[in-house]
Amino acid sequence: MLPDSIIHINKKVEGISPNLRGFFFIKERKIEIPYSLPGDVYNVYKFGKRKVFYKWDPTHLEPRISAPQCASFGECGGCSGQHLPYSEQFKLTTEPILNGLENFNPSRLSVSPADSSYSYRNRMDFAVFPGRIVGLRMSGNFRKIVPIRNCSIQTDWANSEMPLFQKLLECFPDLEYDRKKESGYLKYFTLRKSVFHDDSMSILTFTEDFKNEDLMRKVAEKALEVLSAKNIVFCFNRKKGEISASGEAIAIRGNIYLIEEIWGKKFKIPFDGFFQPNPKEFIKILEFIKSKIVRAENLADLFCGSGFFSILFGEKFSRILGIDIVSSSVSAGEEFLQEVFPDKKIEFLAFDLFHKKGLEKMSSANLPWKDSVVIADPPRSGLSPELCTFLNSNPVSQLIYISCNPENLLRDAKLLEESYRMEEFLLCDPFPQTPHLEAVSIFSPKNR
């Protein structure tokens, strides 16, 4: 029974936004409903006075042309587009970016949809809850978990590992961490699979007190017997911390890193390290960079992680400077680069490129920027205005900007127009069934 104070409105979905959600307007407010199509009709309920929010129930749903492969689609918050044909998803997500590019008029624009829209993701993190529930967060409700036994966007190997993990849980009642009672130990199960190598990894994230329990030895023995991953890692972090695959770690089988291979070069990815979730599609970005990158004396790899781009493209340069905030990644990257390029000057530094002091340190690196190529692969937030100002004040031979948030790339390109022109742009989709895209843009300096 609904409270009398709830306002009831019957509304029809008018269209679909680039985030793949249907929308309609209540007065001037845009209301977005996930998994909906134009023509769907909903009863909408308005809650609250100071802080207003809405809930809805469907009264009519249009026929779906595209049948979701995942039985949990609509509950799970992982995917947002399985109710749409992939071609329509791609058109909706790319249209705002293509419209924004009209302000820059690059000499060459390339758009590349995904070759495969399922079974592509090389890492998935599943929450573990009491009752042997293994799943993903519910759409719109972080506290609730949707049980997942088979995820249509992760690799086939990962789907084969999940029932083995369930067998492990069956052997140890109450192993799962209870967030309310703060009892139990196991919080997350993470699966990582190489795409161009045969390596695989299962990561079990426990509360930090588990490492002192006798039970850990028994769980480790059973995990070795049951799980198929070449590398099995136990890691430990705070009870209150909702972070997977993070903290102190031990490998009970294999290594605490995963091997991936790109163009014949092997990468050691730490169990907690970032790597592209869809390497097969990201190869398009790499091929694009490879065909466009110019020779110069120096390479500056900003937001370098453990040196992914430096390893792939460093052979063209005499000196390589890498900068990232994560000191462990920087140390690993510098060590590996020195092995790969023993005759080059390698310098990897750990500081925050979003902080004023970080930019001061970058200035003191004494790099001749005029004879440098900069590769920048920032987080979704993009470059800061201060970093754009620095790049404008120190024009480089070529700026290659990779972005997992193309809208922010366009925002930053507006600032960079002071000293650079956008020459080329590639937009591609390593994240099918979601509204996220990847882009790379090539900038050349003006007045040179």
Side-chain angles (χ1 to χ4, degrees):
M1 192 76 178
L2 294 171
D4 294 337
S5 59
I6 295 174
I7 299 172
H8 168 257
I9 308 169
N10 191 274
K11 296 294 293 184
K12 180 183 288 188
V13 174
E14 300 172 21
I16 304 177
S17 297
N19 63 7
L20 307 182
R21 292 174 174 232
F23 68 87
F24 48 73
F25 291 89
I26 296 178
K27 294 183 179 180
E28 295 182 355
R29 179 161 183 173
K30 185 179 182 181
I31 307 298
E32 293 186 332
I33 300 184
Y35 327 125
S36 59
L37 294 178
D40 289 352
V41 179
Y42 290 84
N43 286 336
V44 182
Y45 308 99
K46 181 181 178 182
F47 293 75
K49 293 180 179 180
R50 293 182 180 179
K51 187 176 182 181
V52 175
F53 62 98
Y54 295 85
K55 291 186 177 181
W56 46 80
D57 292 314
T59 60
H60 167 75
L61 295 178
E62 290 291 301
R64 268 48 180 170
I65 298 173
S66 183
Q69 287 194 14
C70 180
S72 300
F73 179 72
E75 281 191 283
C76 168
C79 291
S80 51
Q82 291 191 24
H83 63 306
L84 298 167
Y86 175 69
S87 59
E88 187 174 345
Q89 294 179 40
F90 189 68
K91 181 180 179 181
L92 286 165
T93 55
T94 57
E95 188 172 27
I97 309 303
L98 298 178
N99 290 339
L101 280 168
E102 293 177 1
N103 298 322
F104 300 97
N105 194 29
S107 59
R108 184 177 177 185
L109 168 62
S110 302
V111 180
S112 178
D115 294 329
S116 175
S117 59
Y118 286 101
S119 303
Y120 66 83
R121 192 172 176 89
N122 65 358
R123 171 176 174 163
M124 290 293 292
D125 296 77
F126 298 96
V128 181
F129 271 50
R132 296 194 291 273
I133 297 174
V134 181
L136 297 172
R137 304 287 177 174
M138 181 177 287
S139 177
N141 192 337
F142 185 80
R143 295 183 178 182
K144 290 189 177 180
I145 299 298
V146 178
I148 303 290
R149 293 190 175 273
N150 186 290
C151 176
S152 59
I153 65 170
Q154 74 176 350
T155 63
D156 293 339
W157 171 81
N159 280 323
S160 70
E161 187 79 343
M162 292 189 73
L164 303 183
F165 178 66
Q166 283 287 348
K167 288 184 179 179
L168 176 66
L169 291 181
E170 290 169 6
C171 298
F172 300 96
D174 302 322
L175 181 64
E176 311 93 83
Y177 179 59
D178 188 318
R179 276 114 173 129
K180 292 181 179 179
K181 298 179 181 179
E182 295 190 10
S183 61
Y185 306 100
L186 182 57
K187 299 195 294 181
Y188 286 95
F189 180 53
T190 300
L191 293 162
R192 305 192 70 161
K193 178 70 178 73
S194 301
V195 174
F196 301 111
H197 195 274
D198 63 354
D199 215 5
S200 57
M201 177 178 284
S202 289
I203 307 166
L204 285 70
T205 302
F206 297 93
T207 57
E208 57 191 353
D209 54 338
F210 186 62
K211 61 187 175 184
N212 299 319
E213 296 288 334
D214 293 337
L215 180 61
M216 192 188 84
R217 179 183 58 81
K218 296 178 181 179
V219 174
E221 289 175 353
K222 197 64 180 179
L224 289 171
E225 176 187 331
V226 173
L227 299 179
S228 72
K230 293 192 173 184
N231 308 287
I232 302 175
V233 174
F234 284 8
C235 69
F236 315 91
N237 58 35
R238 295 186 307 110
K239 285 187 174 184
K240 296 289 188 181
E242 289 296 330
I243 304 174
S244 59
S246 176
E248 181 184 347
I250 58 171
I252 65 168
R253 177 192 289 157
N255 304 298
I256 59 170
Y257 57 82
L258 187 77
I259 298 292
E260 184 59 279
E261 190 169 340
I262 305 288
W263 295 340
K265 296 180 179 179
K266 291 184 178 179
F267 295 82
K268 291 182 179 180
I269 308 163
F271 81 98
D272 57 350
F274 172 79
F275 200 77
Q276 293 299 329
N278 187 355
K280 285 185 179 179
E281 287 298 321
F282 198 75
I283 285 288
K284 296 175 182 177
I285 296 277
L286 300 178
E287 294 286 359
F288 179 82
I289 295 173
K290 186 177 182 180
S291 67
K292 306 300 176 184
I293 194 167
V294 300
R295 287 191 175 273
E297 183 68 20
N298 312 288
L299 171 65
D301 188 353
L302 308 185
F303 309 96
C304 63
S306 54
F308 177 68
F309 292 105
S310 294
I311 292 168
L312 291 177
F313 303 111
E315 60 189 17
K316 293 178 176 288
F317 306 91
S318 300
R319 179 183 176 186
I320 301 172
L321 171 67
I323 300 172
D324 197 277
I325 192 173
V326 182
S327 57
S328 59
S329 295
V330 166
S331 298
E334 183 173 51
E335 181 179 350
F336 192 39
L337 261 292
Q338 287 172 344
E339 294 177 10
V340 176
F341 303 120
D343 298 329
K344 298 182 186 294
K345 183 176 181 181
I346 309 294
E347 185 178 15
F348 271 41
L349 305 174
F351 55 79
D352 188 355
L353 282 164
F354 293 113
H355 196 279
K356 181 180 177 181
K357 290 184 178 179
L359 294 178
E360 291 173 355
K361 289 182 180 180
M362 191 160 76
S363 298
S364 65
N366 195 29
L367 199 70
W369 296 100
K370 288 185 178 180
D371 194 18
S372 300
V373 169
V374 168
I375 296 179
D377 184 19
R380 289 190 58 80
S381 58
L383 305 177
S384 66
E386 294 77 12
L387 183 51
C388 290
T389 298
F390 178 91
L391 293 169
N392 280 329
S393 301
N394 298 274
V396 298
S397 298
Q398 185 183 55
L399 170 60
I400 302 173
Y401 186 161
I402 302 109
S403 175
C404 59
N405 190 336
E407 289 185 347
N408 284 347
L409 190 162
L410 297 183
R411 177 204 66 195
D412 296 340
K414 192 67 179 174
L415 298 177
L416 293 168
E417 277 189 318
E418 178 183 324
S419 298
Y420 299 89
R421 67 173 62 88
M422 183 187 292
E423 298 286 357
E424 303 198 37
F425 193 95
L426 169 64
L427 185 63
C428 60
D429 184 11
F431 316 108
Q433 314 304 338
T434 81
H436 304 301
L437 300 168
E438 193 93 18
V440 56
S441 186
I442 308 294
F443 294 88
S444 64
K446 292 179 177 178
N447 305 320
R448 184 182 293 187

